[in-house]
Structure formats: C-alpha cells, structure tokens
Amino acid sequence: MNRWLPRTYLTLVYLLLYVPIVVLVVFSFNESRTGYEWGGLSLRWYEALFNNRAMVQAMWNSLWLALSAATVSTLIGALTALALHRYRFRGKKVLNGMLFIVMMSPEIVLAISLLALFLLVGLQLGYVSLLLAHVTFCLPFVVITVMARLSGFDERLPEAARDLGASDFTMTRTVLIPVIMPALLAGWLLGFTLSLDDVVVSTFVSGPSYEILPLRIYSMVRVGLKPEVNALGTLLLVFSLVMLILSQWILLRSKR
Amino acid sequence: MNASASRLSLWLLLTPFLLWIVLLVLVPHLQMLRVSFQVRESWDTLAWGLEQYQNFFSESYYWRTFVRTGVMSLFTTFLTLLIAFPIAWYIARLARGRSKGILFLACLIPFWASELVRTYGWMILLRESGLFSSWLQALGWVDGPVEMLYNDVAVIIGLVYNGLLFMVVPLVTTLDGMDENLVEAGYDLGGGHATVLREVVIPWAMPGIVSGCIVVFMLTLGSYLTPILMGGKDSAWFTEQIFTQFITRFNWEQGAALGVLLLVLSSLMVWLGLKLTGQSLRKVMG
C-alpha cells in the first residue's frame, strides 16, 4: 500500500484538530483587535480581564462551584462504585442502565426538568441550585470512571489486611484508600472539568446572584466576537491542562 | 462478615446515590412528563390533555425542525465515522510502540478544551473577517471577504469536530483486539482490499462502530451550543425550540412535551439502529 497516503491523511486531520485551539491561544496575545492581522505581542486582553471586577468574581465563583461539585460527586460516586464493584445484588443491572441513560440523555432535558423542580419547591436559583444540578450530571461519569479504575483492584488485599489483624478502620485507611486514590482522583478531575465547562445546564439553573465564567463567555460570544474571549478561552484551556498534568504527576508519584 | 452486616453496608454505600438519583433525576423527569400532559385553559387553570403533543404533529415548524435535526445528526454521525475510521485503524494497527501512545494522546488533548472554547476557535477561523477568509483573499482565490460561518456546513464541521473523539476511542479499542491473522487469512483466500474490509474488518469492528455511532448521534442530536453559535438564521435545531418555549415564551407545558419527545424519539432511533445492525446494547456498551 502507498506509504504517504495514510500519513498525509493523519497529518491533515490532526492539523484540523489543533488549528482552532492554537489560533485561539495565539490571538489572545495579539495587540490588534482584528482576528486576522498580527499587531504584535501584548497582554492587553488579559489585563482587561483582570481589571474587570465582575469577571474576576465570576472566575472565583466558577472555580468554587467546580471544586465543590467535583468533591460532592466524587464522595457519592466512590461509595456507589464500591458498592457496584463489590456486591452482587438484585437491581444492579437496573442501576447500571440508569447511569447509562442519565449519561446519554440530552443535557437540555435534564436542565428543564431540574429548573421546573427548583421553581416548584421554591429554591432560589444561585449557588445551591447550580451545585445540585452539576453534581447530577457529573455523578454518572464519576461512578463509571472510578469503577473502571477499580476493576484492576485485587479483592484479596483488604482480606489479607484483616487476616493480619487490621481493624476495618485501619484497613480502610492503610489499604483501601491508598489503592483507590488514583481512581478517586481521576473521577474528581473529570467532575471538575465537566462542571467548569458546562454552559447548557447552567444557563437554566443559575440566577443573577451567582454569575459563573462559562455563562459570561457564552453571552459575550453570542453578541459578537471579542478579543477578551480569546484570553478567557486560553485561561480555561490552560487551567484544564494544568489539572490534567498535575493529576498524572500525582498518579506517577503514588505508583513509586 | 455475615449476610445481614454485608446487606447493611451495601445499603449504606448506596443510599446517598439512590437518594440523589430519585430526587434529582427520577422525580424531575416524572414531573416534566406530568407537565407535558397539561393544557392551560386560562392563566390560572390547567386541564389534562394531549394538546402539546398534537401541536408537535400539527404545526409543521416543530416536526420539520425535528426531522431536520435528526437527518443532520445522522449525516454528522456517518461523516464522523468515515473520518475517524482511518485514524483509528492507523493508531490501532499501523502505529508501533511510542508513536501509538502519542497519537492516541494527541487525539484526546483538544477535548480537554470545553465545547464553548472549541466552537469559538472555529468561529475565529470561519467568520467573514476570519483567518480562512483572509488566507483565501491573500491567495487571490476570492475577491472580497467570504462568510463561511452561519450556515449548515459550518454547523456540521463543528459537530463532527466535537464528536470525533467519541468515535475514535471505541474504534481503537475494538480494532486493537483484532488478530492480524484474520486479515491475512482474508487476503490469502483471494480477497481484495474492499472484500477484506467488508467481510472481515467491518464485521469485527461492528460493536465499536455501533457504540461510537450511538454516542456521537446522541451528542449531536442533543447539542445546543454548536448549532446555535455556528448556525444561520434559518438553521434551527430542536434543542433551541425547547429553550425558546421554556425560557423565552415561558410555555412550560409545550417545552416539557418537546423535551419528552426529544427523549423518546432519540431513544427510538438508537433502538432502531441497534435492531438494524443486529447488535444489543449490552454487547455494544460492555
């Protein structure tokens, strides 16, 4: 078979995968306001962002929301994954199917059903409603991720610890938690990213009292293209990548 | 551990999750279903009825948008499969050692950027005052600026881009497990490239193909940002109508019915796809 044909194709597709992102990052450092001319290197759009008090507040709100949503969904998700991993019980298949359905069903359907619920019970739209909604859509992903990591876990380890005289508490602290830590970290990281990036569900369940970053970006993009959005997008991207690298680094260190 | 203690710890582990799913998934969805069967007779009286569902079928704007969304999603899914298959083949069968891992990783990284950021990247490239337009002008191929954004082609580019990863991963997984001898046996028995692909490779990769297609199709059908930001004035997407009914018109009954229809019709299409390809959901999703 021709050797250069597959390579050319692959190069082309990978190029197209990266062009939109690279262009976004490069133009975030562009002095000029236009999206096609290079006006020299500049940090003016970043400066503009950090001088905008509402924007900085939205950033903190988003980070705090993602942190709490990831933590809550990892706590609940870890318990669920342990149950699904360890026990055989009636209804296990139903539960697995349910996870799958929640994961696959369109976000907007979840969004409207949650909005209707929150308004019905009289919950004010803000941090709490956002947290409840974000944990809901993160949960299945976290459970699946943790479960996938747990499948390689040797069930004889906790038993060996018990046989050696460890109490349940000691066993959990010294055997179980260190072993499932990488799984929890992977789940947490996924939850964090999902929450930080969400627009659709947040559009429905957020209120004016708690502004978050993706919604601000979305409203800016809707009215027209602004150079500040390049800087914001770059920040979000860098943040996700730093989290990814950090988690990989922790995983590598824990393996030694 | 005895049986009852083990029962107890199972319940303790599962309770938070069950509570969460019942209160924030099951109850709201049932509530949405209930609202969708209501009809507003005056501003404060509601009656039961099928009017919201009748509206969907009688007002051509609704079902036309749905059909359009469905057809475009099918097309996007097919296109994504066509583009992703050679990539997955290369990663799974041709690449060796280090380059295999690097190629796979390089495929994942763009998807750590959010859908909003990715879509915005494409908007920078495709708009009238964007890079592609100015490159085409610099090359002298066009006279003035060209608008490549705000049309169906732009929407499909964005959707394929968003779906690519979800197609590549299951394909790589299935193709990775295929025995090289199978392909060779196909050639030894006198098959050409096309025959081997049709008779050996595709049947083997079918679970991966179907699973990738289901995920991409559902993602595309339910997508909201890409069609709205990249689509034109007359390229309506079904999710947009749900938003309009719920938020702009404040017509919850109609919005809820459209939501239920989206859920039911999309599940029906996935079920039909599984039946047509002779796959079962359990086999496909592991």
Side-chain angles (χ1 to χ4, degrees):
Chain A
M1 200 165 55
N2 223 327
R3 274 185 76 85
W4 59 266
L5 187 70
R7 294 215 176 146
T8 318
Y9 177 76
L10 217 67
T11 316
L12 194 73
V13 174
Y14 275 83
L15 211 64
L16 284 175
L17 273 179
Y18 280 90
V19 161
I21 294 168
V22 170
V23 165
L24 177 95
V25 173
V26 168
F27 274 98
S28 76
F29 296 106
N30 187 6
E31 169 72 34
S32 148
R33 184 165 266 283
T34 61
Y36 52 94
E37 267 176 347
W38 185 250
L41 206 63
S42 149
L43 286 175
R44 63 182 280 204
W45 307 117
Y46 291 91
E47 259 177 59
L49 278 186
F50 286 105
N51 285 331
N52 182 341
R53 194 172 282 202
M55 194 65 88
V56 174
Q57 183 61 45
M59 275 182 216
W60 283 119
N61 285 350
S62 269
L63 285 181
W64 176 241
L65 175 67
L67 204 81
S68 36
T71 308
V72 175
S73 46
T74 305
L75 284 176
I76 302 176
L79 297 178
T80 317
L82 271 178
L84 287 171
H85 175 68
R86 258 205 196 158
Y87 296 92
R88 287 155 169 264
F89 52 90
R90 260 194 308 167
K92 188 172 174 173
K93 277 192 187 135
V94 179
L95 212 70
N96 268 323
M98 198 119 164
L99 282 174
F100 182 73
I101 291 170
V102 175
M103 220 159 52
M104 295 289 290
S105 86
E107 275 175 294
I108 198 159
V109 177
L110 184 75
I112 57 173
S113 70
L114 282 174
L115 173 65
L117 177 82
F118 292 155
L119 294 185
L120 194 79
V121 299
L123 181 74
Q124 183 152 29
L125 296 180
Y127 172 70
V128 177
S129 63
L130 278 167
L131 179 66
L132 290 172
H134 280 214
V135 172
T136 308
F137 70 70
C138 289
L139 205 49
F141 290 94
V142 173
V143 174
I144 302 257
T145 311
V146 176
M147 222 157 55
R149 296 282 175 120
L150 279 181
S151 60
F153 172 54
D154 192 341
E155 273 301 318
R156 285 169 303 185
L157 270 177
E159 274 170 36
R162 277 211 200 81
D163 290 347
L164 289 170
S167 66
D168 264 6
F169 177 72
T170 318
M171 187 279 289
T172 308
R173 195 171 53 89
T174 58
V175 179
L176 196 60
I177 290 188
V179 170
I180 67 169
M181 210 50 199
L184 296 191
L185 195 67
W188 189 88
L189 186 74
L190 185 64
F192 187 90
T193 321
L194 285 174
S195 164
L196 191 68
D197 291 344
D198 175 72
V199 176
V200 177
V201 175
S202 304
T203 306
F204 284 83
V205 300
S206 75
S209 66
Y210 202 83
E211 269 204 291
I212 54 172
L213 199 57
L215 291 188
R216 275 196 81 100
I217 303 180
Y218 179 59
S219 59
M220 283 165 84
V221 173
R222 283 214 78 169
V223 289
L225 303 181
K226 292 186 178 161
E228 287 98 326
V229 178
N230 295 334
L232 270 175
T234 307
L235 283 179
L236 268 181
L237 184 67
V238 167
F239 201 81
S240 303
L241 285 178
V242 166
M243 297 288 290
L244 182 68
I245 292 165
L246 206 67
S247 72
Q248 291 300 315
W249 182 70
I250 293 173
L251 286 182
L252 278 180
R253 244 184 42 155
S254 73
K255 270 187 193 153
R256 272 192 215 134
Chain B
M1 226 186 328
N2 63 39
S4 71
S6 130
R7 273 286 100 166
L8 181 69
S9 57
L10 170 64
W11 275 109
L12 283 177
L13 288 175
L14 274 183
T15 305
F17 177 76
L18 289 179
L19 271 178
W20 200 283
I21 288 289
V22 168
L23 290 179
L24 286 147
V25 177
L26 214 59
V27 169
H29 276 80
L30 290 176
Q31 152 83 2
M32 181 176 77
L33 192 65
R34 194 179 67 96
V35 170
S36 75
F37 287 111
Q38 285 175 337
V39 183
R40 199 164 279 281
E41 291 190 320
S42 68
W43 68 275
D44 64 344
T45 43
L46 287 167
W48 296 101
L50 289 171
E51 197 186 301
Q52 318 300 346
Y53 291 94
Q54 281 160 4
N55 284 346
F56 174 79
F57 292 101
S58 60
E59 280 190 37
S60 67
Y61 181 63
Y62 288 139
W63 63 260
R64 263 175 212 228
T65 309
F66 187 84
V67 169
R68 206 184 98 85
T69 308
V71 169
M72 269 178 81
S73 300
L74 279 177
F75 180 68
T76 302
T77 309
F78 183 65
L79 202 62
T80 313
L81 177 64
L82 278 188
I83 294 173
F85 199 88
I87 304 173
W89 180 264
Y90 195 95
I91 294 176
R93 318 285 311 173
L94 299 178
R96 295 267 173 268
R98 256 193 111 120
S99 68
K100 185 172 181 147
I102 291 173
L103 280 174
F104 195 56
L105 198 70
C107 210
L108 300 183
I109 288 175
F111 293 89
W112 277 88
S114 68
E115 189 187 348
L116 185 58
V117 170
R118 276 179 272 143
T119 309
Y120 186 71
W122 276 109
M123 291 171 75
I124 301 177
L125 291 172
L126 294 178
R127 69 182 156 147
E128 204 176 352
S129 60
L131 269 189
F132 283 174
S133 169
S134 67
W135 285 345
L136 286 178
Q137 287 174 74
L139 284 169
W141 290 359
V142 289
D143 289 333
V146 266
E147 178 68 271
M148 284 172 272
L149 200 61
Y150 310 123
N151 57 55
D152 286 352
V153 179
V155 173
I156 287 180
I157 290 177
L159 291 171
V160 168
Y161 185 79
N162 285 331
L164 205 58
L165 172 80
F166 300 95
M167 192 66 92
V168 169
V169 171
L171 285 179
V172 168
T173 315
T174 47
L175 288 174
D176 230 2
M178 196 169 101
D179 195 340
E180 186 62 46
N181 292 329
L182 267 177
V183 181
E184 268 170 34
Y187 285 120
D188 289 348
L189 290 169
H193 287 321
T195 321
V196 171
L197 187 70
R198 199 180 60 233
E199 301 290 334
V200 180
V201 177
I202 289 181
W204 177 272
M206 210 54 189
I209 293 175
V210 174
S211 120
C213 284
I214 290 179
V215 174
V216 172
F217 177 75
M218 290 298 286
L219 265 180
T220 309
L221 197 69
S223 67
Y224 178 76
L225 289 179
T226 307
I228 286 191
L229 290 175
M230 298 179 81
K233 284 262 183 294
D234 44 51
S235 48
W237 207 256
F238 194 65
T239 48
E240 205 178 346
Q241 289 188 335
I242 300 179
F243 180 87
T244 310
Q245 291 301 333
F246 233 78
I247 303 294
T248 320
R249 300 248 181 92
F250 218 70
N251 185 350
W252 282 24
E253 295 79 25
Q254 188 63 64
L258 294 183
V260 172
L261 282 166
L262 177 64
L263 216 54
V264 171
L265 292 176
S266 57
S267 317
L268 213 67
M269 288 171 91
V270 167
W271 179 80
L272 209 69
L274 284 171
K275 280 278 161 269
L276 284 177
T277 50
Q279 302 284 321
S280 75
L281 199 59
R282 191 170 319 143
K283 197 163 124 202
V284 164
M285 295 298 164

